[in-house]
Amino acid sequence: MVVDAIALSAVALALLAAVIGSEARLSRLDKRLKRIEHKLDLLAGHLDVRADDPGLDEVAALVRDGRTIEAIKKYRDVTGAGLREAKEAVERMGAR
């Protein structure tokens, strides 16, 4: 009985360590991906290259209409971005 509890605890700790390690790795990958996307955005801006995405046209229309929260939600749906990234992108659209 005690041996089973110890074994179960050991398995739980191993699983917890694996999850924590995976989350740390995903966090590092997410940061790298954001840096790469930022560099691509800078290059595209420098070269005046625009990506045509019908969903982003709808986001821009919502921004023009002053419907910022809806624009942020739509941006997240279209791009899969997080809340902060979507908010910053919509704010940049409004500044144009």
Side-chain angles (χ1 to χ4, degrees):
M1 191 78 152
V2 173
V3 173
D4 289 340
I6 292 173
L8 184 60
S9 297
V11 169
L13 285 174
L15 184 58
L16 181 62
V19 168
I20 290 171
S22 294
E23 291 208 11
R25 184 170 185 270
L26 286 174
S27 177
R28 288 191 307 272
L29 288 174
D30 188 47
K31 288 177 185 176
R32 287 183 65 197
L33 180 60
K34 284 182 182 181
R35 285 195 312 267
I36 291 168
E37 287 176 340
H38 178 70
K39 289 176 183 179
L40 285 173
D41 288 342
L42 289 174
L43 284 171
H46 179 72
L47 297 173
D48 199 30
V49 174
R50 303 262 181 240
D52 292 334
D53 189 334
L56 292 181
D57 291 340
E58 188 177 341
V59 172
L62 289 168
V63 171
R64 281 192 303 274
D65 292 343
R67 297 163 55 190
T68 307
I69 293 174
E70 292 173 62
I72 292 169
K73 288 179 182 178
K74 182 65 177 177
Y75 187 91
R76 292 186 72 193
D77 288 341
V78 170
T79 65
L83 181 58
R84 174 181 278 170
E85 182 182 350
K87 181 179 179 290
E88 291 170 355
V90 166
E91 287 172 350
R92 283 192 303 271
M93 286 179 172
R96 290 182 188 164

